[in-house]
């Protein structure tokens, strides 16, 4: 487990750094593409090892959170790696994973409510309900995509929110969940909450931009991490350009 823990820590560190770089880099530029792919692979390492360690320790919520993170990062990447048109069995499998995770997390939330301390494996019921709701909404989005296809602004929004929420899981787990490893002079919860919740704030900003028809350039064209151009897509300058 020492090797697993080392991979988990290194993956988490690289994931948070590369994620924030990709978040603020010029959309469509080489830095955005490179840091984005580093983020994907490091998050897969972080979530995979986290799920393994949680399974060994019988930490149920942490286990499904690892699975949820794997799902979000993978589907976010697939959204821009191929033209998400037509029926793909892989998308059906991903939807079923998200549905199972969501139902299980909501069930854990009710178990927490009925426990003496109102927690499940030391985690409040509200966290289980919140992440369960995210998983169920993601599954609903998958079903909608399978039924009607996805392109344009919806395609961009799907990629953005899943990547940003994955980064939030990593940043929140570190800055708030592992605050005891941070030097005491800077271990100030209101201060640590800023980098923890920043990915969600940036996510809201980008989704607002997409809703207004001002999509990040790389995601509208071919500049996102591993992206393939969508037919008829016109690049639009993003935050840094």
């Amino acid at each position: 487990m020492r090797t697993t823990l080392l991979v988990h820590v290194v993956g988490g560190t690289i994931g948070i750094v590369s994620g924030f770089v990709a978040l603020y880099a010029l959309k469509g530029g080489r830095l955005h593409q490179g840091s984005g792919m580093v983020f994907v692979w490091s998050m897969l390492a972080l979530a995979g090892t986290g799920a393994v360690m949680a399974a060994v320790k019988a930490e149920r919520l942490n286990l499904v959170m690892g699975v949820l993170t794997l799902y979000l990062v993978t589907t976010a990447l697939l959204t821009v790696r191929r033209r998400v048109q037509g029926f793909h069995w892989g998308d059906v499998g991903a939807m079923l994973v998200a549905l199972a995770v969501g139902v299980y997390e909501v069930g854990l939330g009710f178990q927490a409510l009925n426990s003496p301390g109102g927690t499940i494996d030391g985690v409040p019921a509200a966290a289980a309900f919140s992440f369960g709701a995210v998983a169920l909404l993601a599954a609903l989005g998958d079903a909608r995509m399978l039924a009607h296809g996805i392109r344009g602004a919806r395609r961009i929004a799907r990629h953005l929110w899943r990547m940003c929420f994955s980064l939030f899981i990593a940043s929140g787990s570190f800055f708030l969940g592992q605050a005891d490893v941070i030097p005491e002079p800077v271990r100030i919860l209101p201060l640590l909450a800023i980098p923890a919740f920043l990915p969600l704030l940036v996510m809201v900003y980008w989704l607002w931009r997409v809703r207004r028809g001002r999509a990040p350039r790389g995601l509208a064209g071919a500049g996102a991490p591993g992206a393939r151009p969508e037919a008829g897509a016109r690049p639009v300058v993003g935050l840094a350009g």
Side-chain angles (χ1 to χ4, degrees):
M1 292 300 292
R2 289 184 179 179
T3 302
T4 305
L5 178 60
L6 177 62
V7 174
H8 182 74
V9 172
V10 173
T13 303
I14 297 176
I16 292 174
V17 173
S18 60
F20 276 107
V21 171
L23 208 58
Y24 292 102
L26 176 66
K27 302 302 179 286
R30 291 184 179 180
L31 181 59
H32 175 72
Q33 295 183 58
S35 58
M37 287 309 301
V38 170
F39 172 74
V40 168
W41 288 111
S42 58
M43 286 298 293
L44 292 178
L46 169 70
T49 54
V52 170
M53 292 189 295
V56 171
K57 297 178 181 179
E59 296 175 344
R60 292 163 290 178
L61 186 58
N62 287 338
L63 171 59
V64 289
M65 284 300 298
V67 175
L68 176 61
T69 305
L70 288 171
Y71 157 81
L72 289 174
V73 172
T74 301
T75 53
L77 180 63
L78 289 176
T79 297
V80 293
R81 279 194 69 89
R82 56 178 167 81
R83 298 179 181 183
V84 192
Q85 297 295 317
F87 183 89
H88 299 277
W89 280 107
D91 294 328
V92 176
M95 178 187 68
L96 294 177
V97 169
L99 181 61
V101 167
V103 171
Y104 186 66
E105 287 193 307
V106 171
L108 290 178
F110 282 111
Q111 289 185 41
L113 287 179
N114 295 324
S115 68
T119 63
I120 186 78
D121 298 332
V123 181
F129 284 126
S130 299
F131 288 109
V134 170
L136 292 176
L137 288 174
L140 180 62
D142 291 341
R144 186 176 185 177
M145 181 186 71
L146 287 166
H148 305 291
I150 187 170
R151 61 183 303 156
R154 290 183 182 273
R155 177 178 182 243
I156 298 168
R158 175 182 169 90
H159 173 78
L160 283 170
W161 88 258
R162 289 168 187 248
M163 284 295 195
C164 288
F165 201 87
S166 299
L167 178 57
F168 162 67
I169 291 176
S171 62
S173 298
F174 175 71
F175 290 105
L176 298 180
Q178 303 295 327
D180 55 325
V181 303
I182 298 175
E184 191 171 351
V186 294
R187 196 186 306 163
I188 306 170
L189 282 181
L191 183 64
L192 295 179
I194 296 175
F197 286 95
L198 192 57
L200 290 184
L201 297 177
V202 177
M203 178 187 74
V204 171
Y205 166 78
W206 276 123
L207 291 178
W208 172 72
R209 288 283 298 265
V210 170
R211 188 176 181 86
R212 292 184 60 197
R214 301 179 64 186
R217 180 180 61 189
L219 301 182
R228 295 180 183 178
E230 182 176 292
R234 293 185 61 187
V236 182
V237 176
L239 176 65

